[in-house]
Amino acid sequence: MSINTYSYDEVKELSRLFKLLAEPNRLHILCNLGMECRPVSDIISATGLSQTNVSFHLRALREAGLVRPERRGSFVYYCLPDVKLLSLLEQTKEWIKLRRKT
Amino acid sequence: MSINTYSYDEVKELSRLFKLLAEPNRLHILCNLGMECRPVSDIISATGLSQTNVSFHLRALREAGLVRPERRGSFVYYCLPDVKLLSLLEQTKEWIKLRRKT
DNA sequence: TAACTGTATGTGTTAATGCTCATATGTGTG
DNA sequence: CACACATATGAGCATTAACACATACAGTTA
């Protein structure tokens, strides 16, 4: 037996999160949001993606609670509500980097 | 600007990993391998998946270097070559659990 | 209110991927 | 060698998900 066992539900929940992070454009949006709030228009120009596509990905992230929208006038700013996610991403990035050298 | 910036390549590499982890059955195989080496037949009976399907997922994991095959007689044992990955999964699992309470 | 900017959503198309069936390959044993 | 068991692979099918287009909605300003 392994030390950490994973129930079916836990695995399913994990995979749901990973599915969100698995799309390059979506992940790019998420990673480069950092801890700042940015209007959609900024994200569009930063990524070079179409408005529709950015909106599409933001919706997925929003419905999963990974980003939070905030209206300011006619703009909608998006923020990461949780720093911990970024730290997980950072650790994973480092892991990949180390692994390549082996 | 965010503290940690992610290049296009880094994001792409990250997303490639997440894509592998995004499939529930594949993730289930990976999580419950733990740090032990197990023959494919064990994985088949543990997951209840078809032989073909298990082989299919193991191939994906193997080609990404997330598991390592090892022949022992007529059996092929699969192992995780790296503990760190399990720890990342564990942390992610905990993060999800905490988040739900908020 | 009309006109403009910023953002969201519904629909359809296309590409990717998980799964199964049939079959091949590999390994031990009589 | 023949046979049985363990695992891998190729082809085809079915589902899903990313994207674009057109359009709707929300807020600001004239």
Side-chain angles (χ1 to χ4, degrees), chain B:
Chain B
M1 270 214 289
S2 55
I3 300 167
N4 307 309
T5 62
Y6 289 78
S7 73
Y8 184 70
D9 284 346
E10 284 172 333
V11 169
K12 234 174 101 182
E13 234 174 341
L14 265 174
S15 75
R16 212 179 311 142
L17 171 64
F18 288 139
K19 192 172 289 179
L20 279 166
L21 303 176
E23 214 296 310
N25 291 329
R26 193 157 51 216
L27 185 61
H28 188 250
I29 290 173
L30 194 70
C31 285
N32 291 300
L33 250 189
M35 284 318 289
E36 286 192 59
C37 290
R38 296 186 179 203
V40 179
S41 49
D42 267 29
I43 300 174
I44 292 171
S45 52
T47 56
L49 300 175
S50 74
Q51 182 269 317
T52 306
N53 198 11
V54 169
S55 228
F56 169 75
H57 286 305
L58 282 176
R59 179 192 206 170
L61 294 170
R62 171 177 11 109
E63 289 180 343
L66 297 188
V67 297
R68 190 158 33 85
E70 193 179 310
R71 259 229 119 86
R72 299 187 194 169
S74 57
F75 291 77
V76 178
Y77 282 67
Y78 275 88
C79 325
L80 278 109
D82 191 344
V83 204
K84 189 75 198 308
L85 179 58
L86 279 186
S87 129
L88 280 172
L89 288 173
E90 190 65 20
Q91 282 183 67
T92 309
K93 185 180 96 175
E94 289 307 318
W95 179 71
I96 291 177
K97 207 173 279 182
L98 281 177
R99 232 165 63 89
R100 237 195 331 238
K101 298 180 181 167
T102 327

Side-chain angles (χ1 to χ4, degrees), chain A residues 19 23 25-26 50-53 56-57 71 73-74:
Chain A
K19 191 170 289 178
E23 215 294 313
N25 290 328
R26 194 157 49 216
S50 73
Q51 182 269 317
T52 306
N53 199 12
F56 169 75
H57 287 306
R71 258 230 120 84
S74 58

Side-chain angles (χ1 to χ4, degrees), chain A residues 21-96:
Chain A
L21 304 176
E23 215 294 313
N25 290 328
R26 194 157 49 216
L27 186 59
H28 189 251
I29 291 173
L30 195 69
C31 284
N32 290 299
L33 250 189
M35 284 317 289
E36 286 192 59
C37 291
R38 295 184 180 207
V40 179
S41 49
D42 266 30
I43 301 175
I44 292 171
S45 52
T47 56
L49 300 175
S50 73
Q51 182 269 317
T52 306
N53 199 12
V54 168
S55 227
F56 169 75
H57 287 306
L58 282 175
R59 179 192 203 168
L61 295 170
R62 178 190 351 122
E63 288 179 343
L66 297 188
V67 296
R68 191 158 32 84
E70 194 178 308
R71 258 230 120 84
R72 300 189 194 167
S74 58
F75 291 77
V76 178
Y77 281 68
Y78 275 88
C79 326
L80 277 108
D82 191 345
V83 203
K84 189 76 197 309
L85 178 59
L86 280 185
S87 129
L88 280 171
L89 288 173
E90 190 65 21
Q91 282 184 68
T92 309
K93 185 180 96 177
E94 289 306 319
W95 178 72
I96 291 178

